[in-house]
Amino acid sequence: TLDADIAVHTWTHPYMTTLSNEQVVAELGYTLQLIYNSTGGRIARYWRPPYGDSDVRVDAIAREVFGLTTVIWNQE
């Protein structure tokens, strides 16, 4: 089995804070389903928002709807 974690980076790479709640769910949900279908049932645990564009609302949707932890790069 593979031990590497899989992360989501959205379906169309949008600025997430500009989307409605429904659009955020769709961006993450479509990608999670594709990952699940194409990896024999693996489930992503993390996501990185395109452009680092997230906020409390988007993070809450990712966490509460999909169980995803938001990962942002450092500034080094």
Side-chain angles (χ1 to χ4, degrees):
T1 64
L2 296 175
D3 292 331
D5 288 319
I6 296 175
V8 175
H9 196 54
T10 72
W11 189 256
T12 66
H13 208 262
Y15 285 92
M16 296 298 284
T17 60
T18 68
L19 304 181
S20 69
N21 291 349
E22 293 81 7
Q23 289 171 313
V24 171
V25 168
E27 284 288 330
L28 295 172
Y30 291 153
T31 310
L32 284 164
Q33 188 65 54
L34 178 68
I35 290 168
Y36 182 86
N37 291 348
S38 63
T39 62
R42 294 189 64 201
I43 298 171
R45 299 178 6 183
Y46 304 95
W47 84 290
R48 181 165 17 191
Y51 316 104
D53 184 55
S54 191
D55 58 18
V56 172
R57 176 185 64 95
V58 174
D59 287 348
I61 293 169
R63 182 181 61 253
E64 298 301 322
V65 175
F66 299 109
L68 296 171
T69 299
T70 303
V71 176
I72 304 289
W73 59 88
N74 63 30
Q75 298 297 319
E76 294 179 31

